[in-house]
Amino acid sequence: GENVEQHPSTLSVQEGDSAVIKCTYSDSASNYFPWYKQELGKRPQLIIDIRSNVGEKKDQRIAVTLNKTAKHFSLHITETQPEDSAVYFCAASNGAGKSTFGDGTTLTVKP
Amino acid sequence: GAVVSQHPSRVICKSGTSVKIECRSLDFQATTMFWYRQFPKQSLMLMATSNEGSKATYEQGVEKDKFLINHASLTLSTLTVTSAHPEDSSFYICSARVLTRITDTQYFGPGTRLTVL
C-alpha cells in the first residue's frame, strides 16, 4: 500500500519567516495530494491541494509543489503569522479517494 | 465548503457497553465516507471506508466485528464500537468524500472523543 513520510515533525519559525514542510510518497498511482491544517481539538481543514498533472499551485501565502518523478511534494507558507500555528498533514490519494496521511508537522510561529 | 457533522462530540461509557457515533453530510450527498482514529499528537489512522448501500471496507488490523459501520443513506454513516474497552478510548473522526472533475476532497467531521472507563 501507500506510504507517506512527512518532515519535519516539528517546525518553529519567527513571525514573517517562511515555513516549508516536505512529504514523500511511494505509490506512483497516487494522483491527488491534499494538505490539511488541524488546530488543537478541532477537525482537519483542507488548505490546499494539487493533482498529479500540475507541478505547482499557489493560494495567497500558501503554495504546494509536486515532483512526480521523485515522488515528493511540499507545502510552502510565506510571511507566517501566529495563527498559522497548528499541525499540518499531507496526504496522498488514489483514484478511489482513499488517502494515506503523513504523521504531521507541528508548526509554531513565534511572534 | 461542504459541512460534515458528528454526534456525539464526547461520550464516556463503561467497559463492555456499545457506543454509536453518527456522521452526517449536511448539505451534500456522500456515497463514500471514511472513519479515522486519532491518538494524541499522532496522525489520522484510517479504520474503514464506508460505502452507501454496501459493506464497509476495513483496513488491515481493524476488527470488523468490533467496529460496525453502517452507511444506510447518502447522508449518514454510523460507527458502533461494540463491547468497548479502555484501549478503545480515542478520538474518532469521520470524513465525507466529495468528488468532482478536478478535485477529490475529504471534508472532516468535528470528531468524537470516546472515553471508556
Side-chain angles (χ1 to χ4, degrees):
Chain A
E2 175 67 276
N3 181 46
V4 176
E5 294 191 359
Q6 183 172 346
H7 298 280
S9 57
T10 60
L11 179 59
S12 182
V13 299
Q14 208 64 40
E15 182 178 359
D17 288 349
S18 296
V20 180
I21 303 171
K22 299 181 179 182
C23 289
T24 61
Y25 62 99
S26 60
D27 188 353
S28 56
S30 291
N31 57 10
Y32 176 66
F33 306 92
W35 285 87
Y36 294 90
K37 175 183 180 182
Q38 186 177 28
E39 296 177 14
L40 190 63
K42 297 190 176 180
R43 74 186 83 191
Q45 300 264 24
L46 177 72
I47 55 171
I48 196 167
D49 55 13
I50 191 168
R51 295 198 71 89
S52 59
N53 58 349
V54 175
E56 184 174 358
K57 184 177 178 181
K58 190 173 181 180
D59 182 5
Q60 299 183 334
R61 296 187 297 110
I62 297 173
V64 58
T65 59
L66 171 65
N67 183 326
K68 279 176 57 180
T69 305
K71 294 197 189 72
H72 65 70
F73 56 112
S74 301
L75 176 72
H76 304 252
I77 306 175
T78 58
E79 299 172 35
T80 53
Q81 301 166 2
E83 49 265 39
D84 294 329
S85 297
V87 180
Y88 291 81
F89 292 99
C90 65
S93 178
N94 60 18
K98 177 178 159 180
S99 291
T100 301
F101 286 80
D103 287 340
T105 296
T106 300
L107 173 65
T108 303
V109 180
K110 294 183 276 190
Chain B
V3 179
V4 176
S5 71
Q6 229 176 296
H7 178 80
S9 57
R10 290 179 179 272
V11 58
I12 300 173
C13 69
K14 293 182 179 180
S15 187
T17 60
S18 293
V19 174
K20 180 187 280 188
I21 303 169
E22 293 186 349
C23 178
R24 293 183 185 272
S25 56
L26 296 186
D27 51 359
F28 65 101
Q29 293 181 332
T31 55
T32 303
M33 291 184 174
F34 300 95
W35 286 96
Y36 295 87
R37 187 172 176 176
Q38 188 176 34
F39 292 101
K41 297 187 178 181
Q42 293 192 25
S43 188
L44 296 128
M45 184 191 79
L46 180 65
M47 298 175 65
T49 303
S50 172
N51 297 296
E52 188 268 337
S54 64
K55 290 183 179 179
T57 304
Y58 289 82
E59 294 301 301
Q60 192 173 9
V62 178
E63 299 176 58
K64 60 180 67 177
D65 293 332
K66 179 163 185 65
F67 298 100
L68 300 178
I69 291 172
N70 185 276
H71 196 154
S73 78
L74 288 171
T75 59
L76 173 64
S77 175
T78 60
L79 168 69
T80 301
V81 184
T82 63
S83 187
H85 288 95
E87 56 266 30
D88 298 325
S89 298
S90 190
F91 193 53
Y92 292 88
I93 308 180
C94 70
S95 71
R97 183 189 186 195
V98 176
L99 178 64
T100 69
R101 268 193 313 113
I102 58 173
T103 63
D104 189 350
T105 306
Q106 290 187 40
Y107 290 92
F108 286 87
T112 296
R113 174 76 58 193
L114 171 63
T115 303
V116 184
L117 302 176

